[in-house]
DNA sequence: CTGTTAGCGCCTTCAG
DNA sequence: CTGAAGGCGCTAACAG
């Protein structure tokens, strides 16, 4: 049988109310009584029924995250973010409710469900879209949330990485190594950071007086296969690039694969760079030049912010922008082309 | 304001009960009425309050997992397991409640809380310990669970990898390459799989007529640093091994680091092998020979089993043992010593 | 076919 | 200092 307040009350010959208050630490309870209650509770292994508590208190001490199913394999990004969020949630005594969903429509429904069904106190939204309906929904519902990523969907608390600066650093680095034929594998256009990183790319080129070439721009889907296919397309151009930047590391790794398949030595015949600095990036052959997003820390900070929002505490900094760091490794090394 | 059954009932001029039944699809409701109710519900964006529903129905459609905090970084194992579990949970329409905890005492408390507080219908226990108190607790509480790993803690549903066979294959492979000085970096002794893998190691050696040497056995904590330190200890022996097996890939990667630091070429001067086949293993330099545990699939199957247990359906196979596969890569390649 | 009643376990007034 | 009463939102008998 489940141990409830009632069980303890009977055992102690007290009312449920008193037991509840004794356990909750109210100071209008006789110390002697409290001791007895606590004793019995421990002896019986009492654990409050959280469903009941939540129903009453409208609080769950749980935060939610929806994860697109496809990302599991193709993309270490979410796992790392999850780690950070989960770690910090534990710090606050919060649990983390995960809902894995097909991206798109399903995903939005999952948010609706999570939020409206009162299972969570707040949500972390990752990888923001243009005109993100999830954010529109959360804002309208006035439900606490923090996003990883800016958007054009109005004002809301977010933490983001300055992808423009990161990408510009990357281009500058390649230019310094003597590259003038720099291609870009874009991420899907509906992701906000794509436009930001693209802007960094064009600014970087502009600084060096290099015009943007349309045939050096290919879009792929963040996956390794996508990156591989995109790189193949670039490398069959009549005037192929000497350097390829991918909008994330996973696609960059795919591009390295493509280069290998064509007999090119990455870092010598062809420079390749990524974005993210996932754990794997340091271990590819050759190691991958990239821009470090401290995703784990971002997860932790996002959760910090979320807790503040949940508690209606003011955010001293509702919009955090983190400057990413260029990590130069061998994939853009070797001699100049 | 929150939309509840009451809201809809008022709007429709019906009782709460009827609305509830209309929405739940009972067949003792006038079709016309049902249509109207559903219509209003949709229009108002009704979402059932799950806390209330759970309180009534004693079901949460949520499964739990407790993750040791330290594992986040040092160990991709949990992330991959999580992916599999989460993926399959989504398939069944279940959510996943995560609790990140300090390993040890805290962790056990987290189980107690999760279970006794009626927040979840079942749990997945990963990486079983000897005399695992978590399993003892779950058995005693008669709470649905499935473990990844056997144990001496009595009978319960589990899925496991045949670590003995895996390790024996690994030893055999090294012996075939001419190695007779094969060391083993052990995982912590309180983990059940450590003993199993050790047994595979000794059997493998016995088959080749090689005696077990105590000085070739070192214990480490599953982390990269631990593996590195352990390898250093082995390599400073007066009669150092020509091959090192680590009980997981992460430690093997640490061992590779140690070898590099001592100027040894992995795969030529020293053979190194791991266990798990984490994604990184294929990308180390040189790529790591290892034993593949299909962790993602194991997560999925574990959840399948758990759902069965939750629904009181019989398990056609309560103890699943998976044969792992030897993956030979360059870290044990090259010429014989 | 629909409504009334009861209660899941907890917390919070409000009286004693 | 303690208890009785009410209600969070939902579902499940049981009557009409």
């Amino acid at each position: 049988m489940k141990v409830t307040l009632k069980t303890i009350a009977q055992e102690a010959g007290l009312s449920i109310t008193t037991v509840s208050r004794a356990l909750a630490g109210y100071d209008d309870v006789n110390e002697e009584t409290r001791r007895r209650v606590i004793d019995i509770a421990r002896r019986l292994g009492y654990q409050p029924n959280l469903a009941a508590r939540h129903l009453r208190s409208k609080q769950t001490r749980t935060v939610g995250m929806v994860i697109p199913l496809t990302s599991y394999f193709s993309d270490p990004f979410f796992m790392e973010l999850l780690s950070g969020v989960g770690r910090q949630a534990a710090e606050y005594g919060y649990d983390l409710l995960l809902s894995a969903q097909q991206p798109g429509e399903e995903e939005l429904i999952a948010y609706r469900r999570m939020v409206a069904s009162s299972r969570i106190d707040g949500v972390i939204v990752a990888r923001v879209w243009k005109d993100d309906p999830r954010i529109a929904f959360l804002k309208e519902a006035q439900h606490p949330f923090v996003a990883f990523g800016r958007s054009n969907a109005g004002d809301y608390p977010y933490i983001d990485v300055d992808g423009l600066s990161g990408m510009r650093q990357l281009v500058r680095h390649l230019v310094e190594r003597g590259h003038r034929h720099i291609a870009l594998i874009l991420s899907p256009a509906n992701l906000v950071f794509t436009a930001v990183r693209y802007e960094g790319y064009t600014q970087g080129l502009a600084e060096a007086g290099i015009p943007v070439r349309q045939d050096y721009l290919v879009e792929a889907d963040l996956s390794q296969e996508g990156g591989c296919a995109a790189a193949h397309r670039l490398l069959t151009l009549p005037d192929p690039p000497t350097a390829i930047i991918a909008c994330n590391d996973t696609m960059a790794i795919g591009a390295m694969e493509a280069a290998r398949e064509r007999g090119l030595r990455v870092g010598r015949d062809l420079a390749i760079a990524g974005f993210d600095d996932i754990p794997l990036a340091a271990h590819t052959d050759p190691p991958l030049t990239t821009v470090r997003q401290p995703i784990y820390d971002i997860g932790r900070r996002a959760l910090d912010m979320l807790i503040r929002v949940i508690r209606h505490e003011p955010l001293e900094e509702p919009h955090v922008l983190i400057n990413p760091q260029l990590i130069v490794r061998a994939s853009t090394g070797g001699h100049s082309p």
Side-chain angles (χ1 to χ4, degrees), chain A:
Chain A
M1 243 332 271
K2 281 270 170 199
V3 179
T4 70
L5 288 184
K6 197 169 159 190
T7 325
I8 300 175
Q10 285 170 345
E11 185 79 9
L14 289 166
S15 76
I16 294 174
T17 317
T18 307
V19 173
S20 169
R21 270 187 310 224
L23 257 25
Y26 279 47
D27 55 1
D28 59 351
V29 177
N30 186 309
E31 267 313 315
E32 169 54 26
T33 312
R34 183 199 308 287
R35 232 189 305 282
R36 239 180 60 234
V37 168
I38 290 179
D39 219 58
I40 297 176
R42 188 176 350 231
R43 184 154 54 72
L44 300 182
Y46 170 72
Q47 290 287 346
N49 180 320
L50 293 183
R53 184 175 280 180
H54 298 161
L55 178 58
R56 267 280 351 198
S57 67
K58 313 290 189 200
Q59 279 199 33
T60 60
R61 289 189 81 79
T62 303
V63 298
M65 246 179 102
V66 178
I67 295 193
L69 273 177
T70 47
S71 299
Y72 271 139
F73 265 150
S74 57
D75 197 347
F77 172 92
F78 275 97
M79 284 298 118
E80 210 166 329
L81 185 65
L82 194 58
S83 303
V85 171
R87 173 75 173 75
Q88 199 66 359
E91 211 69 42
Y92 285 102
Y94 273 64
D95 286 324
L96 187 57
L97 189 68
L98 278 194
S99 183
Q101 298 295 333
Q102 298 294 345
E105 198 57 22
E106 295 280 318
E107 213 177 334
L108 187 55
I109 294 174
Y111 276 92
R112 288 206 128 75
R113 255 195 341 154
M114 264 204 183
V115 168
S117 63
S118 317
R119 293 193 78 181
I120 52 174
D121 296 343
V123 211
I124 303 274
V125 178
R127 197 172 274 165
V128 170
W129 315 330
K130 277 186 188 162
D131 305 306
D132 200 315
R134 303 170 300 174
I135 290 180
F137 164 65
L138 290 167
K139 283 188 62 165
E140 201 208 311
Q142 303 204 37
H143 196 271
F145 77 100
V146 169
F148 179 2
R150 291 158 282 178
S151 162
N152 54 346
D155 183 56
Y156 58 87
Y158 66 75
I159 179 166
D160 201 3
V161 163
D162 189 351
L164 193 151
S165 148
M167 203 49 107
R168 212 169 51 187
Q169 290 179 59
L170 210 46
V171 173
R172 202 175 291 155
H173 160 71
L174 288 168
V175 169
E176 275 166 12
R177 296 269 162 133
H179 292 277
R180 315 251 329 147
H181 296 254
I182 304 171
L184 180 66
I185 302 180
L186 286 156
S187 36
N190 66 327
L191 298 175
V192 172
F193 71 74
T194 302
V196 175
R197 293 185 193 171
Y198 174 68
E199 182 62 24
Y201 167 79
T202 57
Q203 285 193 16
L205 290 182
E207 278 173 18
I210 304 172
V212 175
R213 288 175 53 162
Q214 285 307 313
D215 56 342
Y216 278 2
L217 299 173
V218 213
E219 185 180 319
D221 64 355
L222 292 174
S223 75
Q224 190 168 335
E225 298 75 43
C228 184
H232 274 304
R233 246 178 303 154
L234 289 168
L235 294 172
T236 46
L237 288 175
D239 181 18
T242 62
I244 297 178
I245 301 175
C247 272
N248 75 343
D249 286 348
T250 310
M251 292 195 295
I253 290 168
M256 287 175 58
E257 203 183 323
R260 236 190 330 272
E261 284 166 12
R262 308 184 86 81
L264 296 170
R265 291 164 305 169
V266 175
R268 299 183 65 81
D269 309 324
L270 175 69
I272 292 182
F275 204 108
D276 278 351
D277 196 30
I278 61 178
L280 228 166
H283 296 276
T284 53
D285 178 26
L288 185 67
T289 292
T290 187
V291 175
R292 174 174 301 157
Q293 299 203 70
I295 301 176
Y296 179 83
D297 290 322
I298 288 172
R300 296 188 65 163
R301 288 188 66 174
L303 194 100
D304 277 337
M305 293 170 73
L306 183 56
I307 296 286
R308 284 252 158 66
V309 175
I310 289 171
R311 295 183 178 160
H312 301 290
E313 290 169 16
L315 285 171
E316 69 280 3
E317 213 186 336
H319 305 149
V320 179
L321 200 58
I322 292 179
N323 217 316
Q325 188 193 351
L326 178 67
I327 309 286
V328 177
R329 298 204 184 93
S331 73
T332 56
H335 67 167
S336 307

